[in-house]
């Protein structure tokens, strides 16, 4: 059965309130100290998280610059994108080429004579389609030899090489139409017909041979695309030309026979410049974070959360050291950031001279790769350094692990404080309960004595 405590019965004192205030006075200073200490540690953990995030963001800005392929890209520019466009690989030679798009590839389309309607019987037998060196056959059976049935049989043929059948009705009747699904002369359609012995119609009306007069008529000629580059002619079964110029793929869109357009291929300096700008921005963001976390304001007597921290100071020094180290093994005229137009300004940040960078990229593009992506290039070295700093077991990981241990110790100290305060509370309750009992006894004794005195004859005169 739970005990019931009735404090202050004998004395009239609010023992629970008194004990609570005494316990709170005992606990509050130490609890405040622990809370303040934990808040500072948590704030420093958050600060290290911000630092690590800034380092990772800067490392991401290095990904393109540390890749040699970034500096081997070429850009291709057409003087008329409506006529043709082009893409390149690193194998493309820089230069300007004359391009004429003489003809676009087209699909082959042939059509039958006019029939009354789609249900009209054509005839039975075997249709053999030839296309680009491949053949497939369709058997047309008696009773399944209408325009509709033949169309469906061709379209459903499992080995169809790329022939689409349809029915087109115009003013003179219904026509069975066969179209190649692919462009190019090689994909033109030829049809051989073998009528069946029981053929009640005339299936031979669907025969087509481009080399001789045929019952079927050509509606659209199969064509190859034709381009002329610097006087050399090439054809393609589709709208794409690969290999005519090494490392360059030309996609034609509109034919303009006889009209000479230009294709300009050059180093993709715009992409490299954008990556370098991202490098400067990423570094400045990192330095701003470091400055904020380590700053000290003597007037306000305030300091950043990581001001004076040895790990943070080490990180800042190592990064600045790498930024200030020249790239070994390169031409002395291009082995530093300054020679690319990147200089240091106030508070350790970088400033980019876009005009100077453009000039260097235009004049010495090939050697810029070594400044960043070489074995000792800035992007290569900084990426490795940041990877080491942010890795598990690295300097930041060890530092945050130590702070987390301090938080755990504070939790242990709180538990100890809670147990000690509980002990103090129990002691105070015991002491005040004893006092309450004693006062109760004294009150009872006083009351008894007063009653006895009142009963003495003649000793007390009452008014």
């Amino acid at each position: 059965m739970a005990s019931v405590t009735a404090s202050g019965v004998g004395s009239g004192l609010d023992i629970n309130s008194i004990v609570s205030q005494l316990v709170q006075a005992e606990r509050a200073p130490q609890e405040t100290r622990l809370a303040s200490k934990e808040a500072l540690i948590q704030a420093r953990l958050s600060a290290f998280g911000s630092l690590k995030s800034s380092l990772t963001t800067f490392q991401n800005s290095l990904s393109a610059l540390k890749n040699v392929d970034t500096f081997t890209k070429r850009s291709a520019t057409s003087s008329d994108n409506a006529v043709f466009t082009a893409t390149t690989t690193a194998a493309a030679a820089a230069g300007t080429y004359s391009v004429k798009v003489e003809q676009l590839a087209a699909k082959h389309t042939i059509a039958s004579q006019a029939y009354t309607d789609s249900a009209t019987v054509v005839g039975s037998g075997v249709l053999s389609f030839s296309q680009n060196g491949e053949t497939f056959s369709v058997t047309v059976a008696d009773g399944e030899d209408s325009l509709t049935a033949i169309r469906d049989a061709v379209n459903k043929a499992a080995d169809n090489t790329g022939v689409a059948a349809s029915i087109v009705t115009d003013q003179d009747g219904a026509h069975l139409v066969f179209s190649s699904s692919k462009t190019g002369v090689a994909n033109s359609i030829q049809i051989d017909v073998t009528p069946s012995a029981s053929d009640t119609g005339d299936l031979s009306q669907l025969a087509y041979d481009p080399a001789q007069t045929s019952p079927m008529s050509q509606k659209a000629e199969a064509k190859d695309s034709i381009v002329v580059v610097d006087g050399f002619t090439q054809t393609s079964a589709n709208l794409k030309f690969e290999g005519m110029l090494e490392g360059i793929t030309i996609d034609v869109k509109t034919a303009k026979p006889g009209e000479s357009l230009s294709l300009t291929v050059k180093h993709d300096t715009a992409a490299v410049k954008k990556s370098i700008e991202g490098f400067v921005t990423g570094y400045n963001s990192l330095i701003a974070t470091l400055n904020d976390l380590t700053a000290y304001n003597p007037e306000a007597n305030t300091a950043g959360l990581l001001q004076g921290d040895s790990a943070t100071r080490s990180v800042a020094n190592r990064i600045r050291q790498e930024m200030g180290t020249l790239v070994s093994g390169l031409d002395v005229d291009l082995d530093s950031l300054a020679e690319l137009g990147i200089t240091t300004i106030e508070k350790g940040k970088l400033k980019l001279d876009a005009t100077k960078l453009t000039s260097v990229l235009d004049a010495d593009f090939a050697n810029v790769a070594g400044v960043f992506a070489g074995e000792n290039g800035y992007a290569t070295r900084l990426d490795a350094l940041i990877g080491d700093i942010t890795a598990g077991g690295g300097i930041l990981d060890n530092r945050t692990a130590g702070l987390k241990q301090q938080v755990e110790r504070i939790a242990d100290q709180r538990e100890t404080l809670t147990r000690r305060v509980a002990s103090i509370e129990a002691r105070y309750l015991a002491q005040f309960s004893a006092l309450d009992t004693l006062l109760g006894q004294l009150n009872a004794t006083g009351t008894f004595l007063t009653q006895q005195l009142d009963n003495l004859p003649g000793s007390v005169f009452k008014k």
Side-chain angles (χ1 to χ4, degrees):
M1 178 181 294
S3 62
V4 178
T5 302
S7 61
V9 172
S11 64
L13 297 174
D14 186 353
I15 294 175
N16 285 335
S17 176
I18 295 172
V19 170
S20 177
Q21 293 179 45
L22 289 173
V23 168
Q24 181 60 24
E26 188 80 26
R27 181 188 187 105
Q30 297 182 62
E31 179 62 37
T32 300
R33 178 180 60 81
L34 291 176
S36 177
K37 186 176 180 180
E38 183 181 25
L40 177 59
I41 295 172
Q42 292 290 2
R44 299 189 74 188
L45 279 170
S46 178
F48 275 113
S50 297
L51 175 57
K52 187 173 183 178
S53 177
S54 292
L55 285 166
T56 301
T57 300
F58 177 51
Q59 187 178 30
N60 291 338
S61 74
L62 303 173
S63 58
L65 292 177
K66 71 176 183 178
N67 188 348
V68 176
D69 291 343
T70 300
F71 300 89
T72 60
K73 292 180 180 178
R74 304 289 188 268
S75 64
T77 305
S78 167
S79 60
D80 191 342
N81 287 331
V83 179
F84 77 91
T85 58
T87 55
T88 63
T89 68
T96 300
Y97 306 88
S98 170
V99 178
K100 296 178 182 178
V101 180
E102 301 291 346
Q103 178 176 284
L104 296 188
K107 297 177 181 180
H108 192 211
T109 301
I110 56 177
S112 71
Q113 64 184 21
Y115 291 88
T116 303
D117 54 40
S118 59
T120 303
V121 170
V122 179
S124 59
V126 177
L127 297 174
S128 296
F129 294 84
S130 298
Q131 189 182 40
N132 199 18
E134 298 180 332
T135 63
F136 74 98
S137 297
V138 174
T139 299
V140 181
D142 291 336
E144 297 180 357
D145 52 359
S146 67
L147 291 179
T148 298
I150 295 173
R151 176 199 64 190
D152 295 343
V154 171
N155 289 336
K156 293 177 181 178
D159 54 352
N160 190 315
T161 58
V163 176
S166 61
I167 296 173
V168 177
T169 301
D170 65 5
Q171 58 187 4
D172 63 351
H175 300 262
L176 185 60
V177 179
F178 297 115
S179 299
S180 171
S181 60
K182 298 178 182 179
T183 59
V185 173
N187 292 306
S188 59
I189 302 168
Q190 180 173 328
I191 307 173
D192 295 319
V193 178
T194 305
S196 67
S198 60
D199 186 7
T200 58
D202 188 4
L203 190 63
S204 64
Q205 292 301 308
L206 299 185
Y208 181 79
D209 185 344
Q212 53 186 297
T213 303
S214 303
M216 297 278 283
S217 60
Q218 178 173 268
K219 294 299 182 181
E221 180 185 0
K223 294 181 181 180
D224 287 334
S225 294
I226 302 174
V227 300
V228 179
V229 178
D230 287 349
F232 296 92
T233 302
Q234 182 63 277
T235 62
S236 172
N238 49 51
L239 303 179
K240 190 179 293 293
F241 289 82
E242 297 177 292
M244 187 177 185
L245 292 169
E246 185 178 8
I248 300 174
T249 297
I250 298 174
D251 293 291
V252 295
K253 301 180 181 300
T254 304
K256 285 198 173 181
E259 183 173 340
S260 182
L261 302 173
S262 65
L263 169 63
T264 303
V265 179
K266 60 182 181 179
H267 295 294
D268 193 357
T269 57
V272 173
K273 185 176 181 180
K274 183 177 180 180
S275 295
I276 293 175
E277 290 171 346
F279 163 78
V280 172
T281 300
Y283 181 79
N284 285 343
S285 177
L286 172 60
I287 291 302
T289 298
L290 281 168
N291 288 342
D292 288 343
L293 294 176
T294 59
Y296 175 70
N297 185 340
E299 295 179 359
N301 194 29
T302 57
L305 288 167
L306 301 183
Q307 203 275 330
D309 180 76
S310 60
T312 307
R313 186 167 56 251
S314 174
V315 168
N317 290 339
R318 291 169 67 183
I319 290 175
R320 291 188 178 108
Q321 181 179 359
E322 290 294 349
M323 292 293 288
T325 302
L326 300 180
V327 182
S328 60
L330 298 183
D331 189 314
V332 293
D333 291 331
L334 191 57
D335 60 357
S336 70
L337 293 175
E339 286 155 351
L340 290 173
I342 301 172
T343 54
T344 303
I345 56 176
E346 71 277 359
K347 297 183 179 180
K349 292 187 176 182
L350 299 179
K351 180 181 179 181
L352 174 62
D353 184 336
T355 302
K356 184 173 182 178
L357 176 60
T358 300
S359 177
V360 174
L361 290 174
D362 290 340
D364 202 7
F365 182 86
N367 290 324
V368 174
V371 177
F372 291 100
E375 183 178 355
N376 297 306
Y378 286 101
T380 303
R381 287 189 277 117
L382 286 166
D383 179 70
L385 173 60
I386 294 174
D388 177 61
I389 291 172
T390 58
I395 186 172
L396 293 186
D397 189 58
N398 290 335
R399 192 71 183 87
T400 54
L403 290 173
K404 289 176 181 178
Q405 289 177 354
Q406 291 183 40
V407 173
E408 292 174 358
R409 287 197 291 271
I410 289 175
D412 293 339
Q413 291 171 15
R414 278 204 176 96
E415 291 181 3
T416 301
L417 176 60
T418 298
R419 289 193 298 269
R420 190 170 69 82
V421 168
S423 176
I424 292 173
E425 183 178 25
R427 178 164 54 84
Y428 280 156
L429 283 172
Q431 290 174 341
F432 276 94
S433 294
L435 175 62
D436 183 54
T437 300
L438 178 59
L439 289 175
Q441 292 172 350
L442 290 175
N443 286 336
T445 301
T447 301
F448 174 75
L449 291 174
T450 300
Q451 292 173 349
Q452 294 302 314
L453 290 173
D454 286 343
N455 290 329
L456 291 175
S459 61
V460 177
F461 296 94
K462 296 180 181 180
K463 294 183 181 180

